[in-house]
Amino acid sequence: MSNRPTGTAKGGRSVGRSIELAALLGASLYYGKHISEKWGQQKQLADLLLTISDENEPQPLPPVMENAAAKMLSESFLNSPAYLCIFKGSAEQRRANLEWLFSKNISVLRSLTQGNNKDIQLWCMLSKENSKISVKSFVMLIHCNRKFSSWDYIWNGFLMAPIQIGSANVKRLFKVADWIEKVEGKVRNGRECMILNRAAVDKYVMSFLFLLLTFS
């Protein structure tokens, strides 16, 4: 009896080898992109350390600090009644959902702040200590007439929201957003203005201010 592999067995091994090679190539490209992005972020941080002139002055949010701003927002709004209504579950899960949501929110706004567009403004105050930069405060200003298309959100990754934060949470999020938009319209009563969409201050700064007010 012949022990030579049949054509089917050879074909199966060939397909398996091709899949392995494709997986290796995909992993190499993914990690290569990941390393490249990390290197780019480190370079941006280094450049920011060298160019930051006055850490007590408000300035446009640097792209490399977007994740830090999103994290600070998630801590600030963790126990907000609106988000307690939207995100059911543990505080840890709510924190993760908010951080993802705010990072996408900032990405959408960043993508629309090109050129001389003043309808959307992302401002922050940074602190530099021991070669480390942190966000101490952050505000998002949006003109009341500025509307966002579905494509704006899809292009910046919001299509993954049902997977990342849950479809039920997404439904409640849009329901609350619609309610807020209606209330804002009534309050403005036809007047144009810049809306303070989000604002947050580092918790340590808030604690320091609280102590100053308490003992002053």
Side-chain angles (χ1 to χ4, degrees):
M1 181 181 293
S2 174
N3 292 324
R4 289 180 299 177
T6 63
T8 303
K10 287 182 179 179
R13 290 176 184 173
S14 178
V15 171
R17 196 170 292 113
S18 298
I19 293 174
E20 289 177 2
L21 289 173
L24 286 172
L25 178 61
S28 299
L29 291 173
Y30 173 79
Y31 285 110
K33 182 175 181 293
H34 181 70
I35 292 172
S36 177
E37 288 177 349
K38 285 293 182 183
W39 174 257
Q41 289 177 357
Q42 292 300 318
K43 185 179 183 303
Q44 289 180 46
L45 279 172
D47 292 342
L48 188 59
L49 278 168
L50 293 173
T51 58
I52 185 171
S53 57
D54 189 346
E55 55 193 64
N56 295 316
E57 288 294 327
Q59 61 181 287
L61 178 71
V64 72
M65 302 305 295
E66 287 182 7
N67 289 338
K71 188 172 183 178
M72 187 173 67
L73 284 173
S74 68
E75 290 292 340
S76 298
F77 288 92
L78 182 62
N79 295 311
S80 166
Y83 290 113
L84 284 171
C85 174
I86 294 168
F87 296 108
K88 309 297 182 181
S90 67
E92 197 60 35
Q93 185 60 51
R94 187 165 66 255
R95 180 182 286 106
N97 289 340
L98 284 172
E99 190 169 340
W100 184 88
L101 177 66
F102 289 137
S103 69
K104 296 305 174 187
N105 194 354
I106 293 173
S107 294
V108 171
L109 298 179
R110 170 77 68 187
S111 69
L112 300 172
T113 56
Q114 305 301 321
N116 295 320
N117 178 21
K118 301 298 183 182
D119 289 351
I120 300 171
Q121 299 181 31
L122 307 175
W123 290 92
C124 71
M125 290 184 69
L126 303 178
S127 175
K128 181 171 63 173
E129 184 178 354
N130 297 327
S131 300
K132 183 180 179 182
I133 299 177
S134 59
V135 179
K136 291 304 179 184
S137 61
F138 175 58
V139 296
M140 301 160 59
L141 295 165
I142 304 174
H143 194 275
C144 61
N145 292 333
R146 190 65 169 85
K147 303 300 179 184
F148 303 97
S149 67
S150 299
W151 178 249
D152 291 332
Y153 288 98
I154 292 172
W155 180 255
N156 287 279
F158 202 79
L159 194 63
M160 298 298 293
I163 297 173
Q164 291 289 335
I165 63 178
S167 56
N169 289 333
V170 173
K171 289 179 181 177
R172 286 192 290 269
L173 177 65
F174 281 116
K175 187 175 181 180
V176 171
D178 288 341
W179 178 82
I180 291 174
E181 187 175 353
K182 290 177 181 177
V183 171
E184 284 180 351
K186 290 180 180 179
V187 172
R188 288 193 295 105
N189 194 27
R191 294 171 295 183
E192 290 194 9
C193 64
M194 294 293 289
I195 294 175
L196 183 60
N197 186 262
R198 299 279 185 277
V201 177
D202 182 84
K203 59 182 179 181
Y204 297 110
V205 176
M206 284 295 292
S207 299
F208 178 70
L209 291 174
F210 177 76
L211 288 173
L212 284 179
L213 290 172
T214 302
F215 296 102
S216 61

